[in-house]
Amino acid sequence: MTPQLLAGKRGVIFGALDEQSIAWSIAEVCAAMGAKFTLTNAPVALRFGQLNTLAERLGATIIPADATSIGDMEKLFQQSEEILGGKIDFVLHAIGMSLNVRKKNEYTNLNHDWMLKTFDISAVSFHKMCQVLYKGDHMAEWGSILGLTYIAAQRTFPDYSEMAESKALLESFARSFGYHFAEKNKVRVNTISQSPTMTTAGQGVKGFDKFFGYADTMSPLGNAPALDCANYCATLFSDLTRYVTMQNLFHDGGFSSMGMNPKLIQE
């Protein structure tokens, strides 16, 4: 029987696209643990994804919203409060997109207009989201805001391109807003740095399959699956982690602490 760790909690989950999405697994786990939430994604993503299937199965309402639009964010959280019947206990930001990565532009030859768009979608949207939550007083006391990130924010992974800078900016926004939310109403703000995961977006990175295998071998526990990431997120949405804030938390099977794994040499 699944523990009802999130019974009575209200949330908003960004970024579920299809069954390969980490946000999809997080939504399933949160529902199983007793949470009620709304689901949101950009209108263009809704046209190409499978979010309706997830919403119908979990009994969740979909609210289309462009995370780069302050107006859309305001409507999203106002409507979510009305639908869920109260202030929001948890929010998941699982958004990232780079046209440069999709078009396989080398880091030394990026389209800078696309780079700015990458930053806006993948990182500045987190600040806009937090700002709307903060100014609108939408978060319940001791609530939890969480963003998904990657270790490329701290280390160089050439094919990850300017998404690395996006994740570094995202993590900085989480730390900075973490202070302000703690002062306002004890809301925690954290990021989770997840293992490479076979998502639709992840597989768009050049050489992802080979790197996935490398990370799996380097990590003493192997790559962390999406479902385990979802369970970890649930603990951070729960009351068991009330004093964890302004942290970047690695959920990567130990990859972030390794220098070299002898298994790589043996292979």
Side-chain angles (χ1 to χ4, degrees):
M1 181 176 178
T2 304
Q4 295 297 284
L5 194 61
L6 302 178
K9 298 289 188 187
R10 306 178 182 95
V12 179
I13 294 177
F14 286 76
L17 180 67
D18 54 36
E19 291 184 349
Q20 291 183 304
S21 304
I22 297 174
W24 186 289
S25 293
I26 293 170
E28 291 181 321
V29 166
C30 287
M33 291 189 178
K36 301 295 182 184
F37 48 83
T38 57
L39 296 164
T40 185
N41 213 324
V44 65
L46 293 178
R47 289 200 296 272
F48 294 104
Q50 303 162 17
L51 195 57
N52 285 327
T53 301
L54 181 67
E56 290 173 9
R57 182 153 52 81
L58 301 183
T61 301
I62 298 173
I63 304 175
D66 177 353
T68 67
S69 165
I70 293 290
D72 278 14
M73 291 295 95
E74 289 172 341
K75 292 176 184 177
L76 168 65
F77 293 121
Q78 288 167 2
Q79 290 179 22
S80 292
E81 279 199 57
E82 293 169 4
I83 291 167
L84 299 171
K87 291 190 177 184
I88 298 163
D89 297 294
F90 67 89
V91 180
L92 173 74
H93 180 284
I95 303 169
M97 193 283 291
S98 167
L99 283 173
N100 280 304
V101 170
R102 287 186 180 180
K103 300 294 185 180
K104 295 180 170 50
N105 287 345
E106 296 294 333
Y107 187 79
T108 53
N109 187 37
L110 296 182
N111 180 311
H112 290 101
D113 289 333
W114 290 356
M115 175 188 279
L116 293 176
K117 190 66 174 176
T118 298
F119 293 164
D120 194 24
I121 294 171
S122 307
V124 178
S125 64
F126 187 84
H127 191 286
K128 290 177 179 178
M129 180 190 81
C130 286
Q131 182 169 300
V132 170
L133 288 166
Y134 186 91
K135 293 176 69 175
D137 197 26
H138 294 295
M139 293 297 297
E141 190 176 42
W142 293 108
S144 178
I145 299 170
L146 192 59
L148 296 186
T149 184
Y150 183 55
I151 196 174
Q154 289 83 31
R155 301 185 188 177
T156 301
F157 295 89
D159 291 332
Y160 202 58
S161 196
E162 86 271 30
M163 279 300 299
E165 285 81 8
S166 292
K167 293 303 186 184
L169 185 57
L170 172 76
E171 292 174 18
S172 182
F173 285 148
R175 286 189 295 271
S176 296
F177 246 119
Y179 164 78
H180 293 286
F181 267 114
E183 290 288 304
K184 182 181 177 69
N185 55 356
K186 297 182 173 59
V187 169
R188 305 101 76 193
V189 187
N190 296 289
T191 53
I192 288 183
S193 189
Q194 164 69 358
S195 294
T197 309
M198 288 289 184
T199 62
T200 301
Q203 292 178 71
V205 178
K206 187 173 73 173
F208 181 83
D209 288 347
K210 290 182 179 179
F211 178 71
F212 183 89
Y214 162 78
D216 195 46
T217 303
M218 175 68 86
S219 309
L221 294 177
N223 290 332
L227 179 58
D228 290 276
C229 182
N231 286 324
Y232 189 39
C233 290
T235 67
L236 289 163
F237 294 151
S238 79
D239 293 333
L240 299 180
T241 51
R242 280 190 165 191
Y243 286 88
V244 180
T245 194
M246 302 165 66
Q247 302 299 309
N248 180 48
L249 303 161
F250 289 97
H251 185 260
D252 62 1
F255 180 89
S256 53
S257 292
M258 292 296 292
M260 172 56 69
N261 193 321
K263 293 178 183 177
L264 287 171
I265 300 174
Q266 294 166 7
E267 290 182 359

